[in-house]
Amino acid sequence: MNYLQTKGGSTSTPSKPKYLKDLNAEQLQTFCTSFDTVFCDCDGVVWYTLGDFIPGSADAIRQLQLQGKQLTFVTNNSICSVERHIQRFARAQLKIDKQQIVHPAQTVCDYLKSQNFEGLIYCLATASFKELLLSQGFHLVPEQQDGVQIKNLCDLRSAIQAEHQVKAVIIDVDFNMSLAKIMRAYQYLQNPQCLFIAGAADGVVPFGAGEVIGPGAFIDIVALAAGRQPVVLGKPGAGLMPILRERHVGSPPARVLFIGDSPGSDIVFARQCGYQTLLVLSGGVCAADVALDDQSAPDYVTDCLGDLTNFI
Amino acid sequence: MESAPNDQRPEHILKLSQEQRRRFLNSFDRVFSDIDGVVWCMEYDIPGVADGYSALQGMGKELSFITNNSVRSMEQYERRFQKLGIKVGESELWHPAQSIVEYLRRIKFDGLIYIIASEPFKSVLRKAGFQLLDGPNEFIKENFGSLAKHIFDREPVRAVILDVDFNLTSPKVLRAHIYLRHPDCLLIHGATDTMLPVGNDLRIIGPGPFQKILVEATGKPGATLGKPGKELGEILLQHYNIRDPKRVLMIGDMLEQDVQFGRQCGFQTLLVLSGGCTLSELRAESSPERLPDYYADSVADLAKLVNDVAKAHV
């Protein structure tokens, strides 16, 4: 409750989520003029994780641009590079600038540079994430013979051997997170000088019909074993907050609208930032699962991003 | 009072008076003993333990072993017991795979199982006639399409079992979670250790934290058939038809897995310092449910205790 009072949203009272379709013309008008900045998730909001644009979303983005809203895409998807995000937008005739995309791999690189980081990195993430680090001059622990079956203690010992002098452990989405990798990360983190950084840290991710377990669950295991918490630079990490704040210096958090499909990572995170929140149901979460009164309850709900054009 | 009151610090069995020793030895008929850190340590034997067990057997105590380690096969256990000269029948050896078989039979489970565990563990279940699915057993392609292909599966799985798996990967955990969305799909835990000693100076993260992911994602607490699981306790009480749990002595080297388990079941508890717990860790333990009634350096001390009492009797 205390939490809700400190929230800077302009939606006055911590009330039940409002469905856009239930608002009258005047309320919609008020809603539309209540924000200048829009932070928008991509997967499940702009396009389906596994495929095409969600019908109507490109038009809605165009309309937000026409209305002069400051538009930034805040994705947790490092499987797809910043360039590929831009290309994907371009295919729908949307001109989105590099600066308009907040992407965990890029955020992690920026953070390392801000720390004047030098040294070897143990990175548990996708190939595209690692390529970005390498292209920006960072050095990674060479890949193990990944996927080798561990049959006995001898195999286990060699699979978890952490012989390198590692100065940072970075964890993001790793499609093949394994016990051996977690053990190596844990061992590197025994050195208090070794940085611990996480990108995307969703506990669960909307995928298919519902939610699947996300990278946050595995990051927590490393954190618990190592007895220390990472700097989390993807959603819903506190480390991302100052980075987003710099993007709306002129307007207060209450005049920011955050649009996402994940109650656990988008909405909880945005509420902590004091932003207004709009949950779209195009990612996998259904109306019955929308929380009514906890930290993951959004201010507004609608079926998909395209509704912004339909209703407004 | 036959056993030490709970609010007292535990006593070393060799520091008990002659009368207390005699009373202690007469206060139990059955012994449940842990194995790793008690009978032997991973890569070496603990001197004198065979004498300790045979002294107890000589007094007519019933002896069974209860371990959380299903990574070793039954044959490997038998060979090592034989080498040490400890007499124990196969039916007196309990490990999570075995306990899960007994549990599934008791609840008349008849369905498909998805399992994350070691090969020896899986073979116990297969031998008992259960149908298992597992995997993916190699790394998957790094994209969402491949992830979807590996974790969304329409097989009618009605139980997910999670024990120690050196080859545990995230697609396995994600796949388990999808099966558990079905309201009738049971969650069954073997060992639940957070850190697991697997060799000299080698500890790995155990299955506990991964089980916690599934518990939190599904809201199903699951049944636990390793120590200190409630369901394992119930199976032992039923199997041995134990009416007075106070007349059972649980021997182990771990405060949580052995002492807490024993206390939960109403057994008397003896902690041995030959494995995973040091005297200073015992002294630092403040939670009453993890404080043993007695402690000893190792099971070898029991031989000395029995001999001393016998001599004094003559």
Side-chain angles (χ1 to χ4, degrees):
Chain A
M1 272 301 131
N2 186 24
Y3 167 79
L4 292 171
Q5 280 152 13
T6 58
K7 172 177 165 291
S10 67
T11 46
S12 59
T13 44
S15 54
K16 272 194 348 194
K18 298 182 194 69
Y19 282 77
L20 289 188
K21 65 174 176 340
D22 296 338
L23 300 185
N24 62 33
E26 196 194 328
Q27 289 167 319
L28 282 171
Q29 180 61 26
T30 312
F31 166 65
C32 280
T33 52
S34 71
F35 57 90
D36 326 298
T37 300
V38 174
F39 288 133
C40 186
D41 182 23
C42 295
D43 288 313
V45 180
V46 178
W47 47 61
Y48 296 112
T49 308
L50 283 171
D52 294 333
F53 267 68
I54 296 167
S57 62
D59 287 337
I61 292 167
R62 247 185 296 278
Q63 186 156 347
L64 288 168
Q65 285 176 321
L66 279 173
Q67 289 176 349
K69 308 290 186 192
Q70 286 292 325
L71 188 55
T72 301
F73 294 93
V74 184
T75 179
N76 256 7
N77 183 346
S78 297
I79 296 110
C80 196
S81 66
V82 172
E83 288 68 30
R84 276 194 52 205
H85 276 81
I86 292 170
Q87 285 163 12
R88 227 168 155 180
F89 282 116
R91 275 204 296 266
Q93 276 74 52
L94 286 166
K95 197 186 161 331
I96 300 298
D97 194 72
K98 200 176 168 193
Q99 304 307 320
Q100 286 178 279
I101 296 174
V102 176
H103 179 275
Q106 188 56 57
T107 309
V108 167
C109 283
D110 294 346
Y111 177 82
L112 290 171
K113 286 177 196 161
S114 76
Q115 304 288 307
N116 298 315
F117 178 82
E118 277 178 30
L120 203 53
I121 298 172
Y122 184 56
C123 183
L124 299 179
T126 56
S128 128
F129 193 111
K130 289 186 243 186
E131 275 158 26
L132 187 76
L133 285 172
L134 290 170
S135 74
Q136 305 209 355
F138 295 105
H139 301 283
L140 308 184
V141 172
E143 299 281 329
Q144 289 281 102
Q145 299 161 285
D146 283 337
V148 166
Q149 283 291 303
I150 299 168
K151 295 197 190 70
N152 50 44
L153 281 186
C154 192
D155 294 349
L156 181 69
R157 275 184 203 280
S158 72
I160 68 176
Q161 208 163 41
E163 79 268 31
H164 297 88
Q165 265 297 350
V166 161
K167 293 287 169 51
V169 167
I170 298 174
I171 311 183
D172 187 78
V173 173
D174 184 336
F175 282 97
N176 292 296
M177 184 59 83
S178 69
L179 177 68
K181 292 181 187 179
I182 288 174
M183 279 303 299
R184 291 180 77 195
Y186 155 75
Q187 292 178 83
Y188 291 129
L189 289 169
Q190 299 300 302
N191 170 9
Q193 307 297 311
C194 180
L195 300 180
F196 184 15
I197 299 167
D202 324 58
V204 289
V205 184
F207 184 54
E211 292 179 313
V212 301
I213 290 161
F218 300 97
I219 294 168
D220 284 350
I221 290 183
V222 177
L224 195 74
R228 51 194 281 205
Q229 290 299 319
V231 174
V232 182
L233 297 170
K235 293 177 289 183
L240 181 60
M241 291 183 185
I243 294 166
L244 294 191
R245 220 177 290 134
E246 277 172 29
R247 291 171 174 263
H248 58 87
V249 192
S251 51
R255 293 202 52 84
V256 175
L257 177 68
F258 198 107
I259 308 173
D261 70 324
S262 162
S265 77
D266 295 319
I267 305 302
V268 169
F269 171 75
R271 287 186 60 146
Q272 279 166 359
C273 298
Y275 301 150
Q276 296 190 63
T277 51
L278 169 62
L279 178 75
V280 294
L281 302 176
S282 45
V285 172
C286 63
D289 294 333
V290 176
L292 295 182
D293 53 5
D294 71 5
Q295 293 181 58
S296 65
D299 298 311
Y300 300 98
V301 185
T302 200
D303 290 338
C304 65
L305 190 60
D307 291 345
L308 286 180
T309 346
N310 301 339
F311 295 137
I312 295 165
Chain B
M1 280 297 267
E2 288 190 326
S3 63
N6 296 348
D7 52 349
Q8 270 180 15
R9 300 305 296 186
E11 288 254 39
H12 195 293
I13 54 168
L14 295 182
K15 296 208 177 101
L16 298 174
S17 71
Q18 201 60 22
E19 176 56 17
Q20 287 172 318
R21 291 178 183 205
R22 200 186 52 76
R23 261 197 283 164
F24 166 61
L25 285 175
N26 287 332
S27 70
F28 58 91
D29 316 305
R30 176 174 293 284
V31 172
F32 288 139
S33 173
D34 180 28
I35 298 179
D36 288 296
V38 179
V39 185
W40 57 63
C41 286
M42 287 300 162
E43 288 157 34
Y44 60 91
D45 294 332
I46 303 165
V49 294
D51 298 336
Y53 291 115
S54 72
L56 291 173
Q57 286 171 319
M59 291 187 74
K61 313 290 185 195
E62 304 284 347
L63 178 61
S64 315
F65 291 90
I66 303 165
T67 175
N68 266 3
N69 185 343
S70 296
V71 179
R72 219 179 265 123
S73 71
M74 220 43 157
E75 292 70 35
Q76 285 172 302
Y77 274 113
E78 280 172 0
R79 240 179 289 136
R80 197 151 172 188
F81 271 107
Q82 212 162 27
K83 205 185 106 208
L84 288 173
I86 299 170
K87 284 188 214 88
V88 52
E90 195 186 318
S91 58
E92 299 311 320
L93 240 168
W94 292 79
H95 59 66
Q98 209 86 339
S99 315
I100 286 175
V101 166
E102 177 131 350
Y103 178 77
L104 291 173
R105 284 183 179 149
R106 272 171 200 267
I107 63 169
K108 303 198 160 49
F109 179 85
D110 154 38
L112 201 50
I113 295 170
Y114 175 70
I115 188 162
I116 304 176
S118 63
E119 277 313 315
F121 192 108
K122 291 182 218 176
S123 74
V124 170
L125 277 126
R126 280 196 202 101
K127 261 188 219 156
F130 292 101
Q131 247 192 302
L132 308 182
L133 292 181
D134 63 9
N137 291 317
E138 56 288 313
F139 279 4
I140 66 166
K141 278 209 187 108
E142 290 189 357
N143 60 57
F144 283 113
S146 149
L147 180 68
K149 196 182 98 205
H150 282 99
I151 68 172
F152 296 124
D153 173 47
R154 294 184 188 284
E155 293 288 346
V157 166
R158 291 297 173 263
V160 165
I161 298 176
L162 179 48
D163 190 74
V164 179
D165 179 5
F166 292 163
N167 294 295
L168 181 139
T169 60
S170 50
K172 292 183 183 179
V173 178
L174 269 58
R175 183 174 168 188
H177 170 224
I178 305 295
Y179 291 128
L180 285 164
R181 284 184 189 164
H182 192 286
D184 295 337
C185 184
L186 304 173
L187 175 57
I188 299 174
H189 311 296
T192 53
D193 307 55
T194 304
M195 286 303 282
L196 199 70
V198 290
N200 267 351
D201 307 322
L202 183 60
R203 270 155 43 102
I204 60 166
I205 293 169
F210 300 98
Q211 291 157 343
K212 202 168 138 248
I213 292 180
L214 293 178
V215 170
E216 280 172 7
T218 62
K220 295 180 180 180
T224 303
L225 277 303
K227 296 174 290 183
K230 183 171 81 75
E231 288 76 13
L232 173 62
E234 287 165 2
I235 285 213
L236 292 173
L237 291 174
Q238 285 173 29
H239 182 92
Y240 291 108
N241 198 14
I242 295 166
R243 293 211 179 80
D244 185 5
K246 265 273 159 264
R247 295 203 56 85
V248 175
L249 178 69
M250 174 79 212
I251 306 176
D253 69 321
M254 301 296 283
L255 293 170
E256 182 188 351
Q257 288 86 352
D258 300 314
V259 175
Q260 188 183 316
F261 173 71
R263 297 199 70 105
Q264 222 166 260
C265 296
F267 305 153
Q268 297 187 65
T269 51
L270 167 64
L271 181 86
V272 290
L273 301 175
S274 48
C277 179
T278 62
L279 184 56
S280 51
E281 282 167 334
L282 169 62
R283 288 197 171 131
E285 182 58 61
S286 56
S287 145
E289 62 265 29
R290 291 184 183 190
L291 268 190
D293 298 307
Y294 305 96
Y295 75 98
D297 291 356
S298 80
V299 170
D301 286 351
L302 281 164
K304 194 161 172 7
L305 188 86
V306 170
N307 288 339
D308 288 355
V309 169
K311 264 186 237 151
H313 219 67
V314 173

